[in-house]
Amino acid sequence: MFGAGSGEWPSHGLDIPMLKARGWRPVPFSEFVLKIHGRCNLACDYCYVYESADQSWRDRPAAMPTEVLDATAARVAEHVRSHALADVAIVLHGGEPLLAGRAAIAASVDRLRAAVPSSCDVEVSMQTNGVLLTDTMLAMLDEHDVGVSVSLDGDREGHDRHRLRANGRGSHAEVMRGLNRLAGSHRRLYGGLLCTVDLDNDPIRTYEALLETSPPRIDFLLPHGTWAVPPPRRPVNGGGTPYADWLIAVFDRWYRAPRKETGVRLFEEIMNVLLGGQSRSENVGLSPVAMLVVDTDGTLQQVDSLKTSYAGAPETGLTVFDHSFDDALWHPGVVARQIGRAALPGTCAACAVRDVCGGGAYAHRYRAGSGYLNPSVYCPDLLKLIGHIGRTVERDLALAQPSGTR
């Protein structure tokens, strides 16, 4: 039922009947990622949808049909009622979701909100490359209260190294036009920026370029990679921490600024967990991941960055037509992301930052043969970054205490 990789952990080796017998129950889904359009108007060379081992997008509808959307709305409503959820988040995704067009997006949002019980708050947002953020598109998103986060990889040189049109033309100028519109009269919708780390880009110049539109938040993403196909310049046998060094430079610039310029999700989540809080990010800490993806054909998937592991890696074998979301809660891949320390390999057990790192992003743990029961391919970088942030915060907290209490 679960396809390729079924002989690897967690499809093989995770004892779900034992978990049930001991009284463990999954956390209901509260975030639903809808692939309302499965194609893109850019050709980014690092894209996990089009450039990875999984090429299933070729066999799926370009846009989510009405019947899939209606079935999804009904399943969300069913899940809300079954678990008495007070709020859910719906993320319109792709591909490039704005390719669906204003009318289809507006109708989708209306259907989703109308289906969910009035007792539940529905937050709708989208992740876009920003190229199609015209005045008319933003007016529609504003009318329907749809938050907008945009992918931007820094200044023109850094962004256009990877985020290109199919003809090789850079997209930075178009993205900035859309971003300036968003950050202007539609600023209330501005959710923030997503930036993929590129070691060839200067970290400080990248960070300061991202500040140009005063984003409320920046999310730095590590390039996807596995133990079989490691990220660019990430040695799999130790030998350096290039990504930690890049991120530490940004952290120090951000943390020591005389005033808060923006939020940085990765740093804030690490600090939050270090200080005893619960993680709100799937890439930090051990909090249960309660997110489900619905593709354009109605198939239910785990986080779609798993496409970098092997063909079919995100699949659950379930669809919105034939299965409830509760069925997906018991998929081994979903369970593995909700059981905390029990999903970490023995090599993580004695690590001082285990509960902060949480094993790192799930997709980055994959190794053929053992599946996802591995440390992150970024393990040395995460250890160094978390250690640096922890020491910095600890030192400042000590300095902030009255002299007689230390």
Side-chain angles (χ1 to χ4, degrees):
M1 177 180 179
F2 302 130
S6 59
E8 300 171 340
W9 196 92
S11 294
H12 177 76
L14 178 59
D15 193 342
I16 294 178
M18 181 270 292
L19 290 171
K20 286 184 178 181
R22 291 181 177 178
W24 181 86
R25 294 294 181 269
V27 174
F29 296 116
S30 57
E31 180 178 350
F32 305 95
V33 178
L34 274 57
K35 299 283 186 174
I36 62 169
H37 205 284
R39 303 295 184 267
C40 193
N41 49 356
L42 296 184
C44 308
D45 58 18
Y46 57 59
C47 182
Y48 62 79
V49 176
Y50 309 110
E51 302 296 331
S52 69
D54 188 298
Q55 292 288 299
S56 58
W57 65 272
R58 298 179 183 276
D59 301 319
R60 292 190 158 104
M64 181 175 282
T66 301
E67 57 268 25
V68 173
L69 181 71
D70 289 343
T72 301
R75 292 298 186 189
V76 172
E78 176 184 54
H79 203 67
V80 166
R81 292 189 182 96
S82 296
H83 299 280
L85 300 179
D87 53 80
V88 294
I90 294 175
V91 183
L92 308 180
H93 211 275
E96 170 48 51
L98 292 179
L99 286 174
R102 284 182 294 143
I105 294 171
S108 299
V109 175
D110 287 343
R111 284 192 182 95
L112 289 162
R113 285 207 171 105
V116 175
S118 59
S119 58
C120 179
D121 180 61
V122 181
E123 177 187 282
V124 183
S125 63
M126 71 163 47
Q127 179 62 44
T128 172
N129 60 38
V131 170
L132 297 176
L133 286 176
T134 61
D135 289 328
T136 53
M137 182 66 78
L138 281 164
M140 180 276 296
L141 295 174
D142 209 334
E143 179 184 352
H144 289 79
D145 196 23
V146 179
V148 180
S149 294
V150 178
S151 296
L152 180 70
D153 284 352
D155 61 9
R156 182 188 296 268
E157 179 184 0
H159 180 91
D160 285 349
R161 182 174 290 113
H162 301 287
R163 300 189 65 80
L164 306 169
R165 292 279 195 174
N167 62 7
R169 181 166 56 88
S171 63
H172 184 267
E174 296 170 284
V175 175
M176 289 307 300
R177 280 196 291 271
L179 256 181
N180 283 317
R181 293 186 186 105
L182 173 65
S185 56
H186 301 282
R187 186 164 189 85
R188 77 177 190 90
L189 304 180
Y190 196 177
L193 299 175
L194 269 68
C195 174
T196 299
V197 174
D198 184 344
L199 298 177
D200 290 329
N201 294 340
D202 179 81
I204 305 304
R205 188 167 70 240
T206 298
Y207 172 69
E208 293 181 345
L210 296 174
L211 292 177
E212 184 176 325
T213 56
S214 300
R217 173 176 289 179
I218 298 170
D219 202 356
F220 287 104
L221 306 177
L222 292 168
H224 289 307
T226 68
W227 289 97
V229 184
R233 288 157 54 188
R234 171 59 259 164
V236 294
N237 297 314
T241 53
Y243 288 92
D245 298 338
W246 197 99
L247 287 166
I248 285 170
V250 177
F251 173 80
D252 288 344
R253 164 66 180 80
W254 168 78
Y255 185 80
R256 296 300 181 195
R259 60 178 179 81
K260 184 175 180 178
E261 297 165 311
T262 187
V264 177
R265 188 182 189 196
L266 176 61
F267 303 154
E268 291 175 334
E269 289 301 320
I270 289 173
M271 292 166 64
N272 183 45
V273 179
L274 282 168
L275 295 171
Q278 292 292 310
S279 170
R280 297 156 296 187
S281 167
E282 63 172 306
N283 297 326
V284 174
L286 294 170
S287 299
V289 175
M291 182 267 289
L292 186 66
V293 178
V294 183
D295 215 322
T296 57
D297 60 353
T299 54
L300 305 183
Q301 299 182 2
Q302 306 166 66
V303 59
D304 53 351
S305 58
L306 297 185
K307 291 176 184 289
T308 57
S309 304
Y310 56 86
E315 305 294 340
T316 64
L318 311 175
T319 76
V320 290
F321 300 110
D322 302 319
H323 304 91
S324 72
F325 290 164
D326 276 15
D327 292 332
L329 283 174
W330 292 102
H331 182 276
V334 174
V335 173
R337 307 206 60 199
Q338 294 207 5
I339 57 176
R341 294 175 187 172
L344 299 182
T347 51
C348 293
C351 179
V353 302
R354 173 198 61 197
D355 292 353
V356 183
C357 164
Y362 193 66
H364 302 163
R365 306 179 205 176
Y366 181 75
R367 189 194 294 267
S370 55
Y372 297 96
L373 195 60
N374 301 287
S376 168
V377 71
Y378 284 105
C379 184
D381 294 284
L382 293 170
L383 181 62
K384 184 174 183 178
L385 174 64
I386 294 168
H388 177 81
I389 293 175
R391 288 188 297 273
T392 301
V393 172
E394 183 178 20
R395 182 170 59 246
D396 284 358
L397 287 174
L399 290 172
Q401 292 178 5
S403 57
T405 64
R406 276 182 269 167

